[in-house]
Amino acid sequence: MKVIICGAGQVGWQIARHLSGEHNDVTVVDNNPELVRRATDTLDVQGIAGFASYPDVLTRAGARDADMIIAATHSDEVNMVICQMAHSVFSIQRKIARLRSKSYLEAIYSDLYRRDHLPIDVVISPEREVAAAAMQRLSAPAAFDTEMFMEGKAQLLGVHIDEDCPVVNTPLRQLTDLFSTLRAIVVGIRRDGTLFAPEPGDQLFVGDSAYVFAHVDDVSRTIEVFGKHQKKQDRMVIVGGGNVGLEVAKALEARTGRVRAKMIERNRTCAEKAAETLERTIVLNGDGLDRSLMIEAGIDRADAMLAVTDDDKVNMLAAVRAKAEGCPFAIALINDPTLVPLMAPLGIDAYINPRATTVSSILRHIRYGRVRQVYSIGDAEAEVIEAEVMSTSPMAGQMIRDIDFPEGVLVGAVSKNGEVMRPTGGMRIDEGDVIALFAMADDVPEVERLMQVSIDFF
């Protein structure tokens, strides 16, 4: 597949890294020559320095025979023009654009993106994706990472293994016997900084981080099996009242059951806008690092705190202060991945990486086969891929034990006729089933082959 990626920032670079690693023909375009040079020096991609909205630059990038274009520059308007140019001048079939401005995302303007208007096939909103990720983190506070699959019927949980974990030093195959009715399976383990797909005889050790795929109805029990405890979250404090903070606050207000949320926003104009937009959330104007303001917001009685300003360091310090004041669960929005190793020493429970969530959203729309969901784990080390099994797939009609999966691939769950099941070796995979696979990055191309489908479905 020939792909043009417009914008060589963190999101564009990560997408190029994924696609080039899977032997696609990738060209990166950016008006910053240094970013282009970084991409071409570190990845197996071609690079073009220039404005991606210019037709002559797209021509040099090979737009005339490209299969897909991904517009991920820092400007919404440039991304829109790129997609229009790709459609009108070059007839590129698949066009994906990252749009940040909330005004462009209003449902009443959705007709704007029809092919006869502004032809964008997929619109990715980082703010909405990050807000959704934040809500998922809040739904499973005992997990350091989480993502929903199978239309909300299954959940991936990242769980730290502590000394009080009841299943420490227990071979994974025995977990099935010990908890025969538990619809959960360990699909990945990170040990001493290395992520791998475990064998049935592998054990969990103190200090490991386990990725567990569980039926949504069994999440609470799964968390307990790994020595964690879930607590209902009724009181929230949000530091940051920008687009992300607003989206999270609105989602909390839409929750069934009464959630009492307070927001702290430093910018007075943003604070006033948030106060006007939100119905039940109390908005305080001031510095989120101010201890007296945090106390006023009730941080010592809060069940969770979410720091989502546009400054990573402020988010980290706000989370540390919240923990110091007695808040049991703190989440920080972190753009810089080099800061992530500091989370655990600082006692921050979880973090959200906007670039990772955006990358996962884009990957969902560019995989071969009828892929319904993709979630990128760690620093693009592995993916969880959910897809419908087609009649052309080598998996169709076979027992799981007979499918030639690579060593780095494990089945997390199978959905048959809408019912999510824990996979077993004797389970038959049929056409129309939906399967979720954990795959190490090097094994993703083989997973795509197993999911293969004719180009008509792409």
Side-chain angles (χ1 to χ4, degrees):
M1 183 169 60
K2 185 168 185 177
V3 184
I4 298 174
I5 300 172
C6 302
Q10 284 294 330
V11 169
W13 188 87
Q14 288 285 7
I15 292 295
R17 176 183 175 185
H18 276 273
L19 295 182
S20 64
E22 294 160 19
H23 310 296
N24 293 288
D25 183 356
V26 178
T27 301
V28 174
V29 182
D30 199 289
N31 65 338
N32 185 331
E34 287 300 318
L35 291 179
V36 173
R37 189 176 299 110
R38 182 189 70 153
T40 55
D41 286 349
T42 57
L43 305 172
D44 183 18
V45 301
Q46 300 176 65
I48 300 291
F51 289 93
S53 56
Y54 289 3
D56 61 318
V57 173
L58 289 179
T59 298
R60 286 163 48 209
R64 297 209 177 276
D65 58 350
D67 301 301
M68 177 186 296
I69 193 163
I70 301 170
T73 74
H74 294 295
S75 167
D76 289 356
E77 290 74 21
V78 169
N79 292 340
M80 290 175 163
V81 171
I82 289 169
C83 289
Q84 183 69 66
M85 200 72 65
H87 175 78
S88 302
V89 178
F90 301 105
S91 300
I92 296 177
Q93 288 299 306
R94 193 77 163 156
K95 299 163 288 291
I96 298 176
R98 179 178 64 174
L99 300 182
R100 283 194 175 94
S101 176
K102 186 180 176 184
S103 183
Y104 290 134
L105 303 170
E106 296 288 348
I108 58 173
Y109 305 129
S110 59
D111 276 356
L112 175 65
Y113 307 113
R114 292 201 329 233
R115 294 185 74 84
D116 53 345
H117 290 163
L118 188 58
I120 302 176
D121 299 301
V122 179
V123 172
I124 303 294
S125 165
E127 281 76 13
R128 285 186 178 176
E129 298 293 340
V130 168
M135 293 303 294
Q136 287 183 25
R137 293 289 189 279
L138 291 170
S139 72
F144 67 85
D145 197 359
T146 180
E147 179 68 22
M148 301 300 294
F149 290 87
M150 306 284 188
E151 298 179 328
K153 296 178 183 177
Q155 192 167 1
L156 178 73
L157 303 165
V159 183
H160 291 303
I161 306 301
D162 302 320
E163 291 182 359
D164 54 355
C165 175
V167 294
V168 166
N169 303 332
T170 303
L172 296 181
R173 65 163 63 92
Q174 289 186 16
L175 296 183
T176 302
D177 300 327
L178 291 169
F179 309 100
S180 58
T181 61
L182 185 67
R183 290 165 292 182
I185 183 170
V186 177
V187 293
I189 297 175
R190 186 184 300 280
R191 180 173 297 153
D192 298 327
T194 301
L195 182 68
F196 63 94
E199 298 284 339
D202 284 333
Q203 303 176 29
L204 291 172
F205 299 132
V206 174
D208 287 353
S209 296
Y211 286 91
V212 188
F213 212 93
H215 190 290
V216 71
D217 293 339
D218 290 352
V219 166
S220 294
R221 189 173 163 217
T222 301
I223 289 292
E224 290 174 2
V225 164
F226 286 92
K228 307 291 183 181
H229 302 283
Q230 295 275 56
K231 182 185 176 185
K232 191 175 180 182
Q233 295 173 320
D234 297 321
R235 297 183 178 90
M236 306 279 185
V237 175
I238 303 169
V239 175
N243 290 336
V244 174
L246 269 177
E247 289 285 343
V248 172
K250 286 193 290 186
L252 289 172
E253 289 187 345
R255 263 188 178 181
T256 53
R258 187 165 181 81
V259 177
R260 285 170 284 186
K262 293 184 180 180
M263 175 184 287
I264 301 174
E265 168 54 45
R266 186 171 189 169
N267 183 284
R268 185 172 185 83
T269 303
C270 286
E272 290 174 350
K273 178 185 174 184
E276 292 171 3
T277 304
L278 300 169
E279 297 178 4
R280 300 197 307 272
T281 303
I282 297 172
V283 181
L284 305 175
N285 177 218
D287 188 347
L289 297 178
D290 186 332
R291 181 175 182 271
S292 61
L293 194 60
M294 273 205 172
I295 296 296
E296 184 181 344
I299 195 65
D300 53 329
R301 300 185 306 277
D303 299 310
M305 176 270 192
L306 188 67
V308 288
T309 75
D310 57 3
D311 189 319
D312 288 358
K313 297 177 181 63
V314 168
N315 294 338
M316 292 171 67
L317 289 172
V320 170
R321 169 141 281 174
K323 296 287 287 188
E325 297 300 332
C327 182
F329 187 64
I331 304 174
L333 186 72
I334 302 296
N335 284 280
D336 183 355
T338 64
L339 295 175
V340 171
L342 299 177
M343 299 292 103
L346 290 173
I348 300 172
D349 301 286
Y351 70 93
I352 304 166
N353 185 328
R355 295 185 177 102
T357 58
T358 304
V359 167
S360 291
S361 300
I362 293 174
L363 286 174
R364 190 181 314 153
H365 298 285
I366 62 181
R367 291 286 182 227
Y368 285 110
R370 285 198 171 171
V371 174
R372 306 189 341 174
Q373 168 77 309
V374 174
Y375 185 63
S376 180
I377 292 177
D379 187 17
E381 297 159 276
E383 293 179 15
V384 177
I385 302 171
E386 174 192 333
E388 180 182 343
V389 177
M390 307 301 296
S391 59
T392 51
S393 168
M395 292 189 294
Q398 290 200 62
M399 302 287 190
I400 288 180
R401 67 166 67 95
D402 297 328
I403 301 173
D404 189 20
F405 288 119
E407 287 186 6
V409 176
L410 284 177
V411 181
V414 177
S415 176
K416 290 179 174 287
N417 301 315
E419 182 183 355
V420 176
M421 305 176 180
R422 181 175 65 181
T424 61
M427 181 181 288
R428 175 187 164 107
I429 302 298
D430 298 308
E431 176 187 355
D433 289 352
V434 176
I435 187 168
L437 297 171
F438 172 94
M440 297 302 294
D442 291 343
D443 296 314
V444 168
E446 177 62 15
V447 169
E448 288 197 321
R449 188 191 69 79
L450 291 169
M451 297 288 190
Q452 75 183 15
V453 63
S454 67
I455 196 68
D456 296 335
F457 288 109
F458 179 59

